[in-house]
């Protein structure tokens, strides 16, 4: 890790003015207490007023987007679940696009990881909420969740309770409402191991099952996030940008963990947070201050100052 007080690097100037800012949330835009600072709120609003779109691009599910739902202007869209879902925050967090993880593929991944890493427990993230195995350590208990073996949670005849994806309650464990997709496809499989090193667990999973699905991680623990083949933050962001006629060189991206690397390497200009994972630091040339020191806002303010001077 780098010094959180490190001076943000400007990097080489480019002739292309940014048209879109893509930022991760946890460990990047949000402070460690999961709040958005007043400075960051002001910087995001100023960017939108200057004609620069802002996309939140996160591993979080739609129901955990309440922390930033008031700070998206214009289009109102966010990319959730590591690219598996596009969410309309202006419509209460309704999922408008989904790239599911096929049930049979998820079952094959479960089987492969059970064999390669005994002790692994699983959770199944659907458009309507999360369900998990008894051994899985949930971050936030969901009263609507089904607790059962992964094979049952992924069975063809599994019926989920109505989930909260149709709205954004203040409390992620709030009362469920009608889901955006009645059949509730799987958007992410989560795999946790109580003992393995997080990076070693990721490498092992990619070795034994990388041909089946996309594997990444964003937690400090050995918690893997598994999506459909080819699904990533970068792929969905590229799709959203193409719809708007925005080229990669017109995008400025921010991130801190391995699930951000593809997005950071795709964007024309990418910043690693001072608190970023070593692999993220190795993948990017530019640095900014830590999430707790408002590193995203620091860069946005400079972009807007440079744009003002060029007028």
């Amino acid at each position: 890790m780098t010094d959180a007080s490190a001076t943000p690097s400007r990097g080489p100037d480019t002739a292309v003015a940014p048209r879109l800012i893509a930022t991760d949330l946890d460990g990047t835009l949000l402070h460690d207490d999961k709040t958005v600072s007043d400075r960051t709120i002001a910087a995001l609003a100023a960017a939108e007023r200057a004609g620069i779109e802002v996309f939140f691009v996160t591993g979080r599910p739609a129901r955990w987007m309440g922390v930033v739902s008031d700070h998206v202007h214009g289009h109102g869209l966010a990319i959730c679940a590591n690219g598996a879902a596009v969410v309309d925050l202006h419509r209460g967090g309704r999922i408008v696009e989904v790239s599911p993880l096929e049930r049979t593929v998820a079952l094959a991944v479960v089987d492969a990881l059970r064999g390669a890493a005994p002790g692994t427990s699983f959770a199944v993230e659907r458009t309507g909420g999360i369900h998990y195995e008894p051994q899985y350590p949930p971050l936030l208990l969901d009263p609507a969740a089904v607790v059962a073996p992964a094979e049952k949670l992924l069975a063809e005849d599994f019926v989920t309770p109505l989930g909260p994806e149709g709205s954004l309650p203040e409390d992620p464990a709030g009362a469920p409402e009608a889901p955006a997709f009645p059949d509730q496809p799987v958007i992410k499989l989560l795999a946790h191991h109580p003992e393995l090193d997080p990076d070693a667990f990721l490498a092992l999973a990619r070795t034994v099952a990388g041909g089946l699905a996309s594997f990444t991680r964003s937690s400090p623990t050995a918690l893997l996030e598994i999506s459909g083949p080819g699904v990533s933050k970068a792929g969905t962001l590229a799709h959203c940008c193409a719809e708007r006629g925005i080229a990669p060189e017109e995008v400025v991206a921010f991130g801190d963990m391995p699930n951000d690397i593809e997005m950071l390497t795709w964007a024309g200009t990418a910043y690693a947070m001072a608190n970023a994972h070593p692999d993220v630091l190795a993948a990017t040339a530019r640095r900014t201050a830590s999430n707790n020191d408002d590193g995203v806002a620091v860069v946005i303010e400079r972009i807007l100052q440079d744009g003002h001077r060029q007028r």
Side-chain angles (χ1 to χ4, degrees), residues 166-247:
S167 64
L168 281 174
E170 287 286 331
D171 179 358
E177 297 184 16
F181 290 86
D183 57 346
Q184 296 191 14
V186 176
I187 56 174
K188 188 163 65 169
L189 181 69
L190 298 142
H192 176 268
H193 198 281
E195 298 174 357
L196 290 177
D197 171 80
D199 289 323
F201 190 28
L202 177 59
L204 174 64
R206 286 174 170 169
T207 298
V208 301
L212 297 171
S214 297
F215 291 79
T216 191
R217 56 172 290 256
S218 60
S219 170
T221 65
L223 178 63
L224 305 184
E225 301 167 58
I226 305 157
S227 304
V231 175
S232 68
K233 289 184 175 186
T236 304
L237 177 62
H239 173 69
C240 291
C241 287
E243 289 182 331
R244 290 159 173 76
I246 297 174

Side-chain angles (χ1 to χ4, degrees), residues 4-309:
S5 64
T7 301
S9 55
R10 176 178 293 275
D13 292 332
T14 65
V16 180
R19 294 180 57 196
L20 186 141
I21 291 167
T23 178
D24 173 52
L25 294 183
D26 296 282
T28 300
L29 189 81
L30 304 181
H31 284 194
D32 287 346
D33 63 2
K34 308 305 179 185
T35 62
V36 188
S37 72
D38 290 342
R39 180 181 183 180
T40 296
I41 291 171
L44 295 174
E48 293 272 9
R49 287 195 301 270
I52 302 173
E53 293 195 58
V54 176
F55 263 83
F56 299 132
V57 189
T58 178
R60 287 183 171 219
R63 68 184 184 281
W64 285 11
M65 294 298 288
V67 66
V68 292
S69 60
D70 291 337
H71 309 307
V72 170
H73 309 279
H75 59 83
L77 298 180
I79 295 170
C80 295
N82 291 325
V86 178
V87 175
D88 188 345
L89 298 181
H90 287 339
R91 298 175 62 196
R94 184 174 180 82
I95 296 176
V96 295
E97 293 183 29
V98 64
S99 298
L101 173 62
E102 295 299 330
R103 183 186 61 81
T104 54
V105 173
L107 283 168
V109 169
V110 168
D111 184 63
L113 291 186
R114 286 207 197 283
T120 300
S121 59
F122 297 90
V124 178
E125 182 75 53
R126 293 179 179 268
T127 54
I130 192 168
H131 310 284
Y132 41 83
E133 295 191 309
Q135 302 84 2
Y136 183 83
L139 296 176
L140 289 169
L141 292 174
D142 185 340
V146 174
V147 181
E151 289 81 1
K152 179 177 179 180
L153 299 176
L154 292 165
E156 188 172 8
D157 59 354
F158 177 71
V159 178
T160 65
L162 291 181
E165 291 292 2
S167 64
L168 281 174
E170 287 286 331
D171 179 358
E177 297 184 16
F181 290 86
D183 57 346
Q184 296 191 14
V186 176
I187 56 174
K188 188 163 65 169
L189 181 69
L190 298 142
H192 176 268
H193 198 281
E195 298 174 357
L196 290 177
D197 171 80
D199 289 323
F201 190 28
L202 177 59
L204 174 64
R206 286 174 170 169
T207 298
V208 301
L212 297 171
S214 297
F215 291 79
T216 191
R217 56 172 290 256
S218 60
S219 170
T221 65
L223 178 63
L224 305 184
E225 301 167 58
I226 305 157
S227 304
V231 175
S232 68
K233 289 184 175 186
T236 304
L237 177 62
H239 173 69
C240 291
C241 287
E243 289 182 331
R244 290 159 173 76
I246 297 174
E249 58 267 24
E250 297 174 303
V251 177
V252 179
F254 300 87
D256 73 306
M257 287 296 282
N259 65 330
D260 297 315
I261 290 176
E262 290 173 300
M263 175 177 74
L264 295 174
T265 54
W266 174 83
T269 304
Y271 287 87
M273 311 305 291
N275 51 285
H277 185 281
D279 290 351
V280 177
L281 296 171
T284 57
R286 296 174 177 85
R287 308 282 181 268
T288 188
S290 73
N291 61 316
N292 287 326
D293 291 325
D294 298 325
V296 173
V298 169
V299 175
I300 293 175
E301 290 164 357
R302 191 172 63 215
I303 288 172
L304 297 178
Q305 290 168 359
D306 289 349
H308 178 75
R309 282 195 291 266

